[in-house]
Amino acid sequence: MTETKQLTFETLKSDVNDGSIDTVLVCLVDMQGRLMGKRFHAQSFVESAYQETHCCTYLLATDLEMETPDGYASTSWEAGYGDYVMKPDLSTLRYVPWLEGTAMVLCDVIDHSTHKPVPHSPREMLKGQIAKLASLGYTAYMATELEFFLFKESFEELANSNYKQMTPIGAYNEDYHIFQTTKEEGVMRPLRNHLYEMGIPVEGSKGEAEAGQEELNIKYDEALACADHHTIAKHATKEIAWQQGHAVTFLPKWDHTRIGSSSHVHQSLWKDGNSVFFDEKCELGKSEIMDSYIAGLIAYAMDYTYFMAPYVNSYKRFAKGSFAPTKIVWSVDNRTAAFRLCGAGSSAIRVECRVPGSDMNPYLAQSAMLAAGIKGIEEKMKLPPEFTGNVYKDSEAESIPGNLYKAIETLRASNMLKEAFGEEVVKHYVRCGEVEIEEFEKVVTDWEVKRGFERV
Ligand code: ADP
């Protein structure tokens, strides 16, 4: 669907010959949703590295600090931290317009000994669910929103103040606010234009409901393309802000007194160029397949919350009255519900899952939701009645897990996800969550110190 200004391998070769491209970034997506990889001299890439290169297995078993936590079955000091094969997916070749003479490519990650894709690689997990859906005859289209905060200070200045002096660029709630967001155009305009230029179908950006909070919207696309777009856009946001001397954060809640940042996911299923979620004969225009898909999302919401909210901080976002969802209900165009039905009565009908935070890994979040939705369709699940009104106030419905401890337990117990991804993959991500908790529990927080001190 996307009209990408696609960079073909042939064009890249001629760009390398005429000297306009000299560097190729060869990247995988790690568990945290970051780009990891190598910078190749473009000549070396077009001669050999386009076929494969290698990286250490710890890249899919590390944490935000790039440490080597223990407890992973797939890799360890004992196993010698060997190599994976990074196999460039040449259909993802793109220019990187904000870096001079540079192109990039995303890779699939292959096991050296089995020669099969690494099962816990996020891109592989999503591909697996896309293939499962294809076997039912459907294609998933998705859109992920990217929310983040921009600061007056640079990354260095924030670090030097130990994250105490943080000044958002905006002055107050800048939801839809044109003047406040004009102040952010130094970062946002190159971001929109560079992404668009590299074939990522940016729709636009807008101010969000806090000072200095922005939202970037990218047009919906097939699920894998959507996750690729999200990952590159997030990377671009950080790099372009850094180039302009501004810090940016995708932390879901950098200050508990302010609104958090989310990454809602819009979803619809298609067949032969038409949405199978739309059926004009049905109430609200939602088809039976859509009913079952949402029923699956609802039934298994507890199982996959970890993939929407993978850090300790993620759960600080789920506050009542903050536009972040707390209850597992669906509702028509209702921003207080976890599942918001959008585009009712039209062919644009879709479900928006409002649970994911801005820290989610889109491959993991989308693959987990697809697994749940597919289960709903396979089992012809019935959609529970719609919730209407203020979910924060009135709903007795089940809550999503309120913290990382609970979400890890519901992930550990999920037979649905074990069936979808394999038991070892679920164990791998349970370990990933446990590492976050273990690190957090070692630390004395500012809150504890302040609360415990006598005041005079
Ligand atoms: P919101 O009201 O949450 O701001 P928007 O109307 O801006 O929602 O739409 C959000 C996203 O939904 C857009 O990025 C758009 O590309 C996407 N979208 C539109 N139609 C579909 C669809 N049929 N399936 C999936 N996503 C869609």
Side-chain angles (χ1 to χ4, degrees):
M1 170 183 297
T2 313
E3 279 180 50
T4 45
K5 289 163 204 131
Q6 202 70 53
L7 174 57
T8 63
F9 191 49
E10 290 312 308
T11 311
L12 178 67
K13 279 198 266 190
S14 82
D15 289 343
V16 177
N17 275 339
D18 71 22
S20 54
I21 291 290
D22 55 57
T23 301
V24 181
L25 312 181
V26 178
C27 311
L28 62 77
V29 183
D30 73 1
M31 297 197 291
Q32 290 73 23
R34 299 172 295 194
L35 294 181
M36 294 285 152
K38 305 178 182 176
R39 295 182 131 85
F40 274 87
H41 192 286
Q43 196 65 49
S44 167
F45 180 80
V46 296
E47 277 169 17
S48 64
Y50 75 93
Q51 291 171 312
E52 65 174 56
T53 181
H54 305 93
C55 68
C56 179
T57 53
Y58 102 105
L59 283 183
L60 291 180
T62 188
D63 62 6
L64 285 167
E65 302 285 351
M66 305 291 290
E67 292 290 347
T68 48
D70 61 11
Y72 286 105
S74 60
T75 187
S76 59
W77 288 114
E78 286 68 32
Y81 281 119
D83 262 359
Y84 288 139
V85 174
M86 294 172 72
K87 178 125 190 88
D89 173 349
L90 294 180
S91 72
T92 67
L93 266 178
R94 291 181 170 89
Y95 296 114
V96 182
W98 63 94
L99 297 178
E100 215 176 310
T102 303
M104 69 173 292
V105 71
L106 297 175
C107 294
D108 292 316
V109 190
I110 313 289
D111 189 290
H112 243 306
S113 47
T114 65
H115 305 290
K116 290 195 176 135
V118 172
H120 54 271
S121 154
R123 209 162 180 265
E124 181 55 33
M125 287 165 69
L126 181 54
K127 280 184 164 184
Q129 294 313 303
I130 289 170
K132 180 86 199 287
L133 189 67
S135 73
L136 302 179
Y138 305 123
T139 306
Y141 279 85
M142 303 216 183
T144 53
E145 300 168 12
L146 288 102
E147 291 180 3
F148 51 91
F149 280 81
L150 275 169
F151 295 92
K152 283 189 180 165
E153 295 86 0
S154 66
F155 282 112
E156 288 86 348
E157 284 164 338
L158 291 193
N160 290 342
S161 78
N162 211 11
Y163 303 96
K164 296 281 187 256
Q165 272 130 41
M166 301 175 74
T167 325
I169 288 194
Y172 64 123
N173 173 2
E174 62 183 63
D175 205 15
Y176 301 94
H177 207 295
I178 297 298
F179 173 55
Q180 291 302 315
T181 51
T182 298
K183 301 194 298 182
E184 292 155 9
E185 279 295 88
V187 172
M188 296 309 295
R189 181 163 177 252
L191 177 62
R192 290 189 306 271
N193 291 342
H194 287 323
L195 290 173
Y196 198 84
E197 200 182 326
M198 73 196 293
I200 294 181
V202 168
E203 290 178 327
S205 63
K206 65 179 269 296
E208 262 301 319
E210 251 300 343
Q213 192 182 29
E214 278 277 359
E215 174 179 285
L216 180 72
N217 290 112
I218 299 170
K219 189 175 177 192
Y220 66 103
D221 211 326
E222 290 190 28
L224 188 65
C226 169
D228 289 349
H229 294 163
H230 180 107
T231 303
I232 296 167
K234 190 171 199 174
H235 181 82
T237 309
K238 294 179 196 173
E239 269 189 11
I240 292 169
W242 168 76
Q243 284 177 334
Q244 307 288 333
H246 292 288
V248 58
T249 188
F250 287 87
L251 257 180
K253 201 87 170 175
W254 68 275
D255 178 339
H256 69 276
T257 64
R258 297 173 189 260
I259 298 281
S261 293
S262 57
S263 187
H264 306 150
V265 183
H266 292 253
Q267 307 165 50
S268 58
L269 299 190
W270 294 55
K271 188 175 196 160
D272 303 328
N274 293 309
S275 170
V276 294
F277 272 10
F278 180 52
D279 185 341
E280 58 189 357
K281 294 187 292 301
C282 298
E283 200 191 345
L284 300 169
K286 69 179 168 44
S287 66
E288 277 180 28
I289 291 168
M290 184 173 194
D291 277 359
S292 296
Y293 185 89
I294 304 177
L297 289 183
I298 288 177
Y300 294 108
M302 305 278 275
D303 294 44
Y304 62 74
T305 298
Y306 169 77
F307 290 116
M308 320 275 116
Y311 302 103
V312 172
N313 180 260
S314 314
Y315 294 83
K316 303 285 163 73
R317 190 184 128 243
F318 300 126
K320 285 184 177 181
S322 72
F323 288 111
T326 51
K327 300 281 182 156
I328 306 170
V329 296
W330 75 275
S331 187
V332 179
D333 201 12
N334 182 341
R335 285 190 167 84
T336 68
F339 300 96
R340 170 178 168 230
L341 189 94
C342 301
S346 78
S347 59
I349 193 163
R350 58 194 183 269
V351 58
E352 175 194 40
C353 177
R354 297 178 60 80
V355 181
S358 47
D359 54 350
M360 62 111 173
N361 176 330
Y363 301 89
L364 300 177
Q366 291 181 30
S367 59
M369 283 189 282
L370 277 179
I374 289 171
K375 194 83 177 160
I377 292 173
E378 283 177 338
E379 297 189 353
K380 295 191 170 41
M381 286 184 181
K382 294 279 169 244
L383 186 61
E386 183 196 355
F387 179 90
T388 50
N390 180 351
V391 179
Y392 297 122
K393 202 162 141 238
D394 305 322
S395 172
E396 303 275 290
E398 198 165 25
S399 298
I400 51 172
N403 57 47
L404 186 56
Y405 298 76
K406 288 186 192 156
I408 290 173
E409 289 321 310
T410 49
L411 172 64
R412 197 195 303 275
S414 174
N415 290 328
M416 185 279 289
L417 288 175
K418 285 178 196 156
E419 208 182 286
F421 297 146
E423 194 150 359
E424 286 306 310
V425 171
V426 170
K427 274 193 198 158
H428 189 88
Y429 283 94
V430 164
R431 182 65 199 135
C432 185
E434 286 173 348
V435 168
E436 287 303 308
I437 287 177
E438 286 165 15
E439 290 306 309
F440 176 67
E441 284 180 342
K442 286 180 197 164
V443 175
V444 177
T445 63
D446 290 355
W447 180 85
E448 293 161 82
V449 175
K450 192 168 171 221
R451 194 165 171 95
F453 255 78
E454 206 46 85
R455 270 147 271 190
V456 289

PDB file of all heavy atoms in Angstrom, residues 67 165 251 282 312:
ATOM      1  N   GLU A  67      23.770  -4.639  29.439  1.00  0.00           N
ATOM      2  CA  GLU A  67      24.469  -5.576  30.313  1.00  0.00           C
ATOM      3  C   GLU A  67      24.302  -7.003  29.787  1.00  0.00           C
ATOM      4  O   GLU A  67      23.599  -7.226  28.793  1.00  0.00           O
ATOM      5  CB  GLU A  67      23.879  -5.481  31.733  1.00  0.00           C
ATOM      6  CG  GLU A  67      24.152  -4.167  32.437  1.00  0.00           C
ATOM      7  CD  GLU A  67      25.608  -3.980  32.820  1.00  0.00           C
ATOM      8  OE1 GLU A  67      26.367  -4.965  32.762  1.00  0.00           O
ATOM      9  OE2 GLU A  67      25.994  -2.854  33.164  1.00  0.00           O
ATOM     10  N   GLN A 165      16.802  18.795  36.491  1.00  0.00           N
ATOM     11  CA  GLN A 165      16.368  20.006  35.785  1.00  0.00           C
ATOM     12  C   GLN A 165      15.950  19.632  34.368  1.00  0.00           C
ATOM     13  O   GLN A 165      16.782  19.483  33.482  1.00  0.00           O
ATOM     14  CB  GLN A 165      17.493  21.028  35.735  1.00  0.00           C
ATOM     15  CG  GLN A 165      17.515  21.944  36.940  1.00  0.00           C
ATOM     16  CD  GLN A 165      18.884  22.012  37.546  1.00  0.00           C
ATOM     17  OE1 GLN A 165      19.879  22.081  36.826  1.00  0.00           O
ATOM     18  NE2 GLN A 165      18.948  21.968  38.865  1.00  0.00           N
ATOM     19  N   LEU A 251       9.984   7.544  27.601  1.00  0.00           N
ATOM     20  CA  LEU A 251       9.554   6.968  28.887  1.00  0.00           C
ATOM     21  C   LEU A 251       8.051   7.180  28.996  1.00  0.00           C
ATOM     22  O   LEU A 251       7.562   8.288  28.768  1.00  0.00           O
ATOM     23  CB  LEU A 251      10.210   7.720  30.038  1.00  0.00           C
ATOM     24  CG  LEU A 251      11.376   7.117  30.775  1.00  0.00           C
ATOM     25  CD1 LEU A 251      11.838   8.083  31.864  1.00  0.00           C
ATOM     26  CD2 LEU A 251      11.060   5.770  31.360  1.00  0.00           C
ATOM     27  N   CYS A 282     -24.170  -5.436   9.607  1.00  0.00           N
ATOM     28  CA  CYS A 282     -24.072  -5.670  11.063  1.00  0.00           C
ATOM     29  C   CYS A 282     -24.139  -4.350  11.838  1.00  0.00           C
ATOM     30  O   CYS A 282     -23.827  -3.283  11.298  1.00  0.00           O
ATOM     31  CB  CYS A 282     -22.758  -6.360  11.399  1.00  0.00           C
ATOM     32  SG  CYS A 282     -22.591  -7.959  10.632  1.00  0.00           S
ATOM     33  N   VAL A 312       9.249  -1.373  34.672  1.00  0.00           N
ATOM     34  CA  VAL A 312       8.645  -0.940  35.938  1.00  0.00           C
ATOM     35  C   VAL A 312       7.876   0.358  35.707  1.00  0.00           C
ATOM     36  O   VAL A 312       6.732   0.531  36.133  1.00  0.00           O
ATOM     37  CB  VAL A 312       9.744  -0.741  37.011  1.00  0.00           C
ATOM     38  CG1 VAL A 312       9.167  -0.109  38.276  1.00  0.00           C
ATOM     39  CG2 VAL A 312      10.429  -2.071  37.329  1.00  0.00           C
TER      40      VAL A 312
END
